[in-house]
Amino acid sequence: MDSENQEVVIIVGHKVIQDNHSKFFEWLDKVKAVCGNFEGYLGTETLHTRENEYTCIYRFSTLDNLERWMASEQRTKLMEEKVDIVEEDSQYTHHYGLESVYHNKTIGKKDPTKIELMLLTFIGLFLPVYFIPGWLAKIEQLPSIAITILSLIITVVLMNYVIMPILFFLYYKVRR
């Protein structure tokens, strides 16, 4: 798939000036509200990564939509407002599709090794693979192929949007 047609994620690291946390969250609420008016904006997650440091993950449906936001006058004005709230220039990285799940450069951590990825994936898959097919099998008159397909869909969605982000957040927190 062409990277311009994939979901794109921009990850922004902010170091907040001491005692400006409430101002930072007020500013962040404004950013989210303005982003919400842009085509293709899918949402924002904010993680408290270290003392006075936050990582914001902005999701857009395509690179074009992200670029429109990045070049917008509204964003420029918002970036000017944060000068008195954030200590230094924010760090930006962007990723396409699922690539964002496996990288966390903004908080200065080394990416997991292949063995660590394998272990995290195993841990993440264990419960969904064990329980979901059993739960679906309890639905009467559901053919086995339907159980398999539904199990895969549910597991993939859970892995990509719930389980792996949580596991990676915990992984990076432990690897401080």
Side-chain angles (χ1 to χ4, degrees):
M1 180 182 252
D2 186 322
S3 64
E4 290 184 7
N5 294 322
Q6 290 186 49
E7 180 180 317
V8 64
V9 174
I10 186 160
I11 302 172
V12 185
H14 300 286
K15 187 163 186 167
V16 177
I17 295 172
Q18 190 71 33
D19 298 325
N20 275 349
H21 294 271
S22 62
K23 287 181 185 177
F24 172 75
F25 283 106
E26 288 172 15
W27 172 81
L28 189 59
D29 286 342
K30 280 194 222 175
V31 172
K32 291 177 187 179
V34 173
C35 273
N37 294 323
F38 276 77
E39 181 182 348
Y41 173 68
L42 302 174
T44 301
E45 292 87 37
T46 303
L47 305 172
H48 187 200
T49 50
R50 292 186 189 157
E51 186 177 342
N52 297 331
E53 290 185 25
Y54 295 87
T55 299
C56 297
I57 304 164
Y58 299 88
R59 297 182 188 282
F60 285 83
S61 60
T62 65
L63 180 59
D64 287 341
N65 290 331
L66 170 63
E67 287 175 344
R68 272 192 284 284
W69 160 248
M70 294 297 288
S72 72
E73 187 176 309
Q74 296 97 319
R75 182 186 169 277
T76 302
K77 287 179 183 175
L78 286 165
M79 294 306 111
E80 291 169 0
E81 288 180 25
K82 77 173 184 171
V83 171
D84 297 329
I85 301 170
V86 178
E87 282 187 20
E88 51 196 51
D89 285 341
S90 301
Q91 302 170 12
Y92 295 83
T93 61
H94 70 275
H95 305 282
Y96 299 100
L98 297 177
E99 184 181 284
S100 62
V101 173
Y102 301 105
H103 296 280
N104 204 346
K105 301 284 190 214
T106 54
I107 59 172
K109 299 293 184 189
K110 191 176 139 192
D111 287 339
T113 64
K114 288 193 184 285
I115 301 253
E116 291 168 329
L117 279 176
M118 186 175 63
L119 182 60
L120 288 171
T121 303
F122 175 83
I123 291 168
L125 280 171
F126 182 77
L127 291 176
V129 167
Y130 185 77
F131 286 109
I132 292 171
W135 290 333
L136 291 174
K138 292 178 181 177
I139 299 172
E140 290 185 31
Q141 301 176 355
L142 196 59
S144 63
I145 188 71
I147 292 171
T148 301
I149 291 170
L150 286 172
S151 295
L152 283 170
I153 291 169
I154 294 168
T155 301
V156 167
V157 169
L158 283 174
M159 286 293 289
N160 287 308
Y161 293 102
V162 179
I163 297 169
M164 291 309 280
I166 291 170
L167 286 175
F168 274 93
F169 175 74
L170 294 172
Y171 170 83
Y172 284 114
K173 197 158 184 80
V174 168
R175 287 211 45 196
R176 277 188 183 191

